[in-house]
Amino acid sequence: MSVPAAPSVHPVPSPVAGPHPVSAAPENASASPPPRLILASTSRYRRELLERLQWPFEVASPGVDETPLAGEQPLALACRLALAKAQAVASQQPDALVIGSDQVADLAGEPLGKPGDHARAVAQLRAMRGRTVIFHTALAVVCQASGFSATDVAPVQVRFRDLSDAEIEAYLLAEQPYDCAGSAKAEGLGISLLEAIVSDDPTALIGLPLIRTCRLLRQGGLSLPALRAATAVPSHPLAHPLPHIHTTSGDHS
């Protein structure tokens, strides 16, 4: 794991298994001011999802090496990387509540990551056609100062149609989903490739399971939804321009 000495943090105006807490927040956490919230990811998909919670947060690139360990299974890989990302940023921002997440597609025990280019995307979609793939979307929330650390994972079963080569080519040329695990964007044209999606956390497939995210944030001391001063969050956060985000090679998830 490679962690920058001081990852840059950029403010963003806000617009299965059950949870596995590693350690709990102090009992009086609810009486304390809410902590800063940081998303340890440069993924625009996760940033846009987190904006739905209408709470101000910042983004930081964790700079974590996402290479699988020898023999590492897809579920274990997703969980390890989600926690590593949160811990990497939390070590530099100890007072913040940090969210880390990672998604790995699981095709019969074989991990499928982001294809990166057209040829790999074609190979992935050919391998998945007519089959069911499990997308493991892992989540970790960490606050170093309070000692809080908890993890969860949302498995999503996705059944692909028996796609023709022509359909695969047409889809990839139209959407170019080369930064998405499994080479398909279910929130876009990629939905046309599928027979069914089975999930108990609807946004998990896009990259961040918001039901589980809210649950872990509440455990960490951030109540959602919450009453707050009218000036705490812009009335129309999506109308405010987002700052430039510096990406780190290997961490776009």
Side-chain angles (χ1 to χ4, degrees), residues 39-220:
L39 176 63
S41 174
T42 57
S43 165
R44 68 181 183 275
Y45 309 113
R46 292 198 176 99
R47 185 184 67 204
E48 290 167 358
L49 287 172
L50 192 57
E51 285 171 350
R52 297 186 188 183
L53 302 186
Q54 301 182 27
W55 191 268
F57 65 98
E58 301 160 89
V59 296
S61 172
V64 169
D65 183 357
E66 298 188 24
T67 304
L69 302 176
E72 191 170 30
Q73 293 298 301
L75 175 58
L77 173 61
C79 292
R80 177 176 64 82
L81 292 179
L83 184 58
K85 292 174 182 180
Q87 290 175 332
V89 173
S91 68
Q92 302 297 330
Q93 306 288 337
D95 295 327
L97 199 59
V98 181
I99 301 170
S101 186
D102 193 79
Q103 184 182 81
V104 178
D106 181 346
L107 179 61
E110 178 185 354
L112 300 177
K114 307 173 195 65
D117 60 34
H118 186 83
R120 291 187 180 92
V122 169
Q124 283 191 355
L125 289 175
R126 284 177 175 172
M128 293 186 296
R129 57 188 171 190
R131 303 176 69 179
T132 296
V133 180
I134 300 176
F135 287 77
H136 301 290
T137 306
L139 174 71
V141 175
V142 173
C143 180
Q144 186 166 292
S146 70
F148 179 80
S149 180
T151 61
D152 204 350
V153 62
V156 182
Q157 294 185 31
V158 177
R159 187 165 72 250
F160 282 79
R161 295 192 297 107
D162 189 9
L163 304 167
S164 67
D165 285 349
E167 287 176 312
I168 290 173
E169 189 70 16
Y171 168 68
L172 293 177
L173 291 177
E175 198 152 59
Q176 301 183 14
Y178 307 134
D179 61 344
C180 296
S183 304
K185 295 181 181 179
E187 70 275 24
L189 182 59
I191 198 72
S192 67
L193 308 181
L194 309 181
E195 288 282 1
I197 298 174
V198 180
S199 173
D200 64 356
D201 207 332
T203 61
L205 188 57
I206 304 174
L208 187 67
L210 287 181
I211 292 175
R212 286 167 171 81
T213 299
C214 290
R215 182 187 302 151
L216 296 194
L217 290 178
R218 286 192 294 266
Q219 293 175 8

Side-chain angles (χ1 to χ4, degrees), residues 23-32 143 145-148 219-221:
S23 55
E27 292 183 1
N28 64 350
S30 59
S32 304
C143 180
S146 70
F148 179 80
Q219 293 175 8

